[in-house]
Amino acid sequence: MGNLDKETQSRINQWLTNEYDLATVAEVQQLVDNNEETELLDSFYKELEFGTGGLRGIMGVGSNRMNKYTIGKATQGLANYLIKQFPGEDIKVAVSYDSRNNSQAFGNLVADVFSANGIHVYLFKELRPTPVLSFAVRHFHCQGGVMLTASHNPKEYNGYKAYWNDGGQLVAPHDKNVISEVNAIQSVNEIKFDRDERNITLVGEDFDDIYIAANTKLSIHPEAVQAQKDLKIVYSPIHGTGITVVPKILKAWGFEQVTIVDEQAEPNGNFPTVIYPNPEEEEAMAKAKQKGQDIDADVVMATDPDADRVGVAIKTPSGTFQLINGNQIGSLLSYYVLSSKKALGQLKPNDYIVKTIVTSNLFAAIADAHQVKYYETLTGFKYIGEVMTNLLGKENYLVGGEESYGYLVGDLVRDKDAVNSCAFIAEMTAYFKSQGKSLYDVLIELYLKYGFYKEKLISLTKKGKAGADEIKQMMADLRANLPKSLGDIEVVEVRDYQLSETTDMKTGKKSKIDLPKSDVLQFITIDGDVISARPSGTEPKIKFYCSVKEKLSFSTDYGQVSNRLDDKVDVMMADIIKD
């Protein structure tokens, strides 16, 4: 064990004491006895960070893993903060969990700790989606909430999303303050694990009806749904929580021909039919697409394990099904909401939409064309939720989205909502079908009206301590050697969100960025292309985003322009990614 640094060895020694249960100590001891230095290093080289969105990590023993003790510590820290923030109040929290291995046990553990601290817990009896948890925080007038999920990460991961009283994930100053409270806990003996049943209320299936009824009132064109009630919809929950609510909401909306992908209907934390339970991936959507082909569906949808992200496949003129990316889904939804409300005379001067800094500017073009204000936030739907909370009662939120397949229509929750999105994507498909158009047709219309925006995301996975160090070095190298051109196209502006400043590359003039600090670099070319570099906050990845645009004059030019933009993206990305 001589290659382990002193801090890592100290943590290992601590986990071998009687503060920890016998099973945990035995598991750590086995790693030591087997001289598994790499596993020990990755498991103990740091504390699993309670970041600005909570916890996410591989399940297992160790200070850098998701387990009873790291989750207990996070919950105790959050409980301590809630008690300080709401003195003299009867504090309430809502707790839910997804289909991942150990999620239900972790959810009950969180309930144990909160209840032992005198906090009343609304605990879901069975797995439910993240947006339902966000809705529950608001519905029960809770001061906080916790969702046990690692979203679309691989099966070995789990996670812990912490929510504030507005139903949104923690933002400043609460995120940093909770982190301080968590870090202040020096011993597992400070964690109260003894459940107090008097402080726990179980939330049953009937709560789905409340959530669904509230959403159904948001429908914009119920007459189109009625006219197209036989619309052929294929849906897959990819072994996740979506199966509990998405079929119900589609039925409540009025759709009668919903086909579930049976092989992926059963909640299962091993995600047996996919490599990666992420509806962004062709492989994860393959069974749903095939089912769509088999029944000649109008639209194909799939949600990730906690049902806050949705992937969509649409029918092309050749009759095959093609996945569309997150920017395209969000642009279609934004266009549907804004154009429909404009046609109905429902747009108001204080309406607005929201996008993130790495989301397509097609969102902004659609908003501008409808004379609707748009806001831009950092990556992460919690920042969209923060805008909604800050503007509540002053301005009217309509729709928001991010390129990573997360959207929300209406303001019932403060997080991305794939259940709500599935209903609106189905309604949108029905509405345009009533006009004789497919979603493919409408997407081409958008490009003809507003310009052909094309985006690409490249993610590089860098696991463990060595990977984290490599990602940090890649960002440092980019900052030290700012590219003057990408693909022979001049870079005219650099936005460094870590420094909160924009630099004009010609004059050197700097201006302030009025957003919270974040480790993101953006390069703007003379053509208006946007290339972003950003370490993921939830996965061991560094992500590179590229967005380019060209005028599309005729629909017949679609293939040619698309290929040209693809080539441009590839050349620019090759200049910035040095792997």
Side-chain angles (χ1 to χ4, degrees):
M1 308 301 293
N3 294 324
L4 297 177
D5 62 87
K6 286 183 179 179
E7 280 191 23
T8 300
Q9 190 62 63
S10 175
R11 289 193 188 95
I12 293 169
N13 292 339
Q14 181 65 32
W15 280 62
L16 289 170
T17 68
N18 61 9
E19 282 189 23
Y20 296 83
D21 63 63
L22 293 175
T24 297
V25 172
E27 201 169 337
V28 176
Q29 188 63 56
Q30 187 174 16
L31 292 174
V32 172
D33 293 344
N34 293 343
N35 203 31
E36 296 188 35
E37 286 199 4
T38 301
E39 180 64 24
L40 284 165
L41 179 63
D42 287 346
S43 298
F44 287 97
Y45 83 92
K46 64 174 184 175
E47 301 283 338
L48 183 62
E49 294 173 7
F50 190 98
T52 52
L55 299 171
R56 192 172 299 188
I58 294 171
M59 290 177 279
V61 295
S63 59
N64 190 39
R65 294 287 187 251
M66 288 290 292
N67 53 61
K68 170 183 177 179
Y69 297 102
T70 52
I71 291 170
K73 182 176 177 181
T75 307
Q76 187 63 55
L78 179 53
N80 292 346
Y81 185 65
L82 287 169
I83 290 165
K84 288 179 181 178
Q85 285 293 300
F86 301 100
E89 294 187 32
D90 292 328
I91 302 172
K92 298 174 287 187
V93 297
V95 177
S96 186
Y97 47 88
D98 70 4
S99 61
R100 288 179 176 273
N101 295 330
N102 299 315
S103 280
Q104 184 171 17
F106 288 160
N108 275 279
L109 172 67
V110 169
D112 293 348
V113 177
F114 278 132
S115 69
N117 280 274
I119 293 172
H120 196 87
V121 184
Y122 289 93
L123 175 65
F124 280 81
K125 289 170 69 174
E126 298 175 325
L127 75 171
R128 281 300 181 272
T130 288
V132 175
L133 181 278
S134 175
F135 182 81
V137 170
R138 294 166 60 79
H139 177 80
F140 292 119
H141 306 290
C142 296
Q143 285 87 349
V146 172
M147 178 73 192
L148 282 304
T149 178
S151 189
H152 57 294
N153 281 53
K155 64 182 180 181
E156 63 266 26
Y157 282 80
N158 216 314
Y160 180 111
K161 292 181 182 177
Y163 289 78
W164 200 241
N165 61 1
D166 63 345
Q169 290 188 53
L170 299 181
V171 293
H174 306 302
D175 51 0
K176 300 288 173 56
N177 292 343
V178 170
I179 290 169
S180 296
E181 289 287 348
V182 174
N183 291 339
I185 296 170
Q186 298 301 307
S187 166
V188 296
N189 293 325
E190 298 175 48
I191 304 168
K192 299 177 181 178
F193 282 115
D194 295 329
R195 185 184 187 104
D196 186 341
E197 292 288 355
R198 296 171 299 176
N199 290 330
I200 294 178
T201 297
L202 295 178
V203 180
E205 191 176 344
D206 55 345
F207 187 75
D208 297 346
D209 298 333
I210 299 170
Y211 166 81
I212 289 168
N215 269 282
T216 305
K217 291 176 184 175
L218 299 175
S219 173
I220 301 172
H221 283 295
E223 79 291 344
V225 174
Q226 183 57 33
Q228 300 291 338
K229 63 184 180 181
D230 293 329
L231 191 82
K232 292 181 182 176
I233 299 167
V234 168
Y235 169 68
S236 171
I238 315 183
H239 306 291
T241 60
I243 192 66
T244 64
V245 189
V246 173
K248 289 181 185 177
I249 200 170
L250 292 173
K251 182 179 180 181
W253 222 263
F255 295 105
E256 297 178 358
Q257 297 294 323
V258 180
T259 300
I260 309 296
V261 179
D262 290 335
E263 307 96 302
Q264 298 178 327
E266 189 72 26
N268 188 328
N270 291 319
F271 310 114
T273 65
V274 297
I275 296 169
Y276 194 53
N278 184 353
E280 301 177 39
E281 304 285 342
E282 284 279 355
E283 183 268 337
M285 292 284 290
K287 289 187 182 297
K289 280 175 63 180
Q290 185 58 55
K291 184 69 74 174
Q293 203 77 48
D294 292 345
I295 70 166
D296 190 31
D298 293 289
V299 67
V300 172
M301 301 182 289
T303 53
D304 69 341
D306 66 321
D308 63 353
R309 299 171 190 245
V310 57
V312 176
I314 61 175
K315 194 189 300 182
T316 66
S318 66
T320 60
F321 280 85
Q322 173 185 315
L323 292 192
I324 55 176
N325 65 39
N327 287 301
Q328 292 170 319
I329 299 168
S331 297
L332 283 166
L333 274 173
S334 296
Y335 177 71
Y336 171 66
V337 172
L338 298 191
S339 62
S340 295
K341 286 187 174 290
K342 183 176 182 180
L344 293 168
Q346 294 176 358
L347 282 183
K348 305 182 185 71
N350 64 343
D351 286 340
Y352 71 93
I353 72 170
V354 196
K355 66 181 281 291
T356 72
I357 59 173
V358 296
T359 300
S360 175
N361 284 325
L362 180 52
F363 277 63
I366 292 168
D368 286 343
H370 289 85
Q371 296 180 303
V372 170
K373 186 188 299 184
Y374 74 90
Y375 291 95
E376 217 170 39
T377 71
L378 292 177
T379 308
F381 214 92
K382 68 176 187 175
Y383 294 112
I384 295 178
E386 182 182 26
V387 170
M388 294 169 68
T389 294
N390 290 342
L391 294 177
L392 190 63
K394 305 171 199 169
E395 298 183 26
N396 183 48
Y397 170 88
L398 295 179
V399 60
E402 53 186 1
E403 53 73 40
S404 54
Y405 296 69
Y407 322 98
L408 175 67
V409 181
D411 67 349
L412 293 177
V413 305
R414 292 290 181 273
D415 209 340
K416 50 187 178 286
D417 187 343
V419 182
N420 161 284
S421 298
C422 282
F424 271 100
I425 290 164
E427 178 177 299
M428 170 173 69
T429 307
Y431 173 73
F432 287 122
K433 187 175 183 182
S434 291
Q435 297 184 335
K437 299 174 186 176
S438 68
L439 291 186
Y440 182 92
D441 297 330
V442 180
L443 193 59
I444 301 301
E445 274 186 26
L446 295 189
Y447 292 150
L448 289 167
K449 283 182 180 179
Y450 308 116
F452 193 160
Y453 288 79
K454 192 115 193 221
E455 290 82 24
K456 185 173 184 177
L457 166 65
I458 295 178
S459 295
L460 304 181
T461 300
K462 307 285 184 182
K463 292 185 177 180
K465 182 180 186 300
D469 291 342
E470 190 177 349
I471 288 172
K472 193 178 293 185
Q473 190 59 50
M474 290 173 78
M475 292 299 290
D477 290 345
L478 269 175
R479 286 189 168 93
N481 303 283
L482 296 175
K484 294 183 171 55
S485 65
L486 291 167
D488 293 327
I489 301 166
E490 183 185 0
V491 174
V492 295
E493 182 183 326
V494 175
R495 299 171 187 166
D496 191 331
Y497 292 85
Q498 188 83 295
L499 300 176
S500 297
E501 67 180 24
T502 294
T503 302
D504 185 312
M505 295 293 279
K506 287 183 178 177
T507 66
K509 182 181 177 184
K510 297 184 185 298
S511 52
K512 189 175 184 301
I513 296 175
D514 191 22
L515 284 173
K517 291 183 185 296
S518 183
D519 191 11
V520 182
L521 278 171
Q522 282 191 323
F523 307 97
I524 318 300
T525 73
I526 198 165
D527 290 352
D529 311 310
V530 183
I531 302 90
S532 309
R534 169 186 164 266
S536 171
T538 57
E539 301 172 272
K541 291 181 177 181
I542 181 168
K543 297 185 175 185
F544 296 90
Y545 309 77
C546 185
S547 177
V548 296
K549 175 195 170 189
E550 187 176 321
K551 182 177 174 60
L552 182 66
S553 299
F554 304 100
S555 59
T556 50
D557 294 339
Y558 173 80
Q560 182 182 0
V561 175
S562 180
N563 290 336
R564 194 156 59 234
L565 290 174
D566 281 339
D567 291 342
K568 183 178 185 180
V569 168
D570 289 343
V571 172
M572 295 173 77
M573 288 292 230
D575 268 5
I576 200 168
I577 300 175
K578 313 295 182 187
D579 186 28

